Amino acid sequence: MRDAGIPLKLDVAEAVARELALQASLPLAELPRLAAALVDADGQLRVALRFVADVQALGRLQGELGGEFRLLCQRCLRPMSWTLDARFDLCLVGSEAEEERLLESCEPVLAEGGQLVLRETLEDEALLALPIAPRCANTDCAARPGETSRPEVGDNDRPGDTRPNPFLALKGKFPAR
């Protein structure tokens, strides 16, 4: 596997025929959609790729993505570290009809005119590997000093709010689940 840059576009037939293998690191600043999903755009996306033909003579792109990224914990809303370690195996197809036909047997990716928009495809795979709702390892991360992680029934939404909670009147009227 040679350590090379990742081209923006690539001729699929030539890459498969040569069994091209690439290894590189892409700066997150060059992947704007991925960078937007992270706390900051510092760091690199590590990429290792292999173009091969399978037993049905279909071109395939097999790869691994890695990196250390900072995401926003959805419980405490603080930055957290997260390690990306993803593998993928894509069928390279030349038409939407072929893509539809192969949808059940593999994960097809469209290479219109025999050209694969490689960086966009890699960015798509990295985005798919991100957690939907990232949470840091600390199980009580939502609790800040002086707070509990779950408000008690009857607590007001705003500190210092002295109005009575209208839902308190319903407490005990319905069976607990």
Side-chain angles (χ1 to χ4, degrees), residues 23-42:
Q23 190 168 335
S25 290
L26 295 173
L28 291 176
E30 293 179 13
L31 305 166
R33 292 179 302 134
L34 179 58
L38 306 173
V39 171
D40 54 49
D42 296 337

Side-chain angles (χ1 to χ4, degrees), residues 94-118:
S95 69
E96 288 182 15
E98 189 178 8
E99 184 177 35
E100 184 122 350
R101 184 177 58 83
L102 294 172
L103 202 52
E104 291 191 22
S105 62
C106 68
E107 187 177 347
V109 64
L110 185 59
E112 289 187 77
Q115 296 288 310
L116 177 66
V117 184
L118 189 55

Side-chain angles (χ1 to χ4, degrees), residues 156 158 160-165:
N156 292 318
R158 287 169 262 155
D161 192 353
T162 58
R163 294 178 296 170
N165 185 333

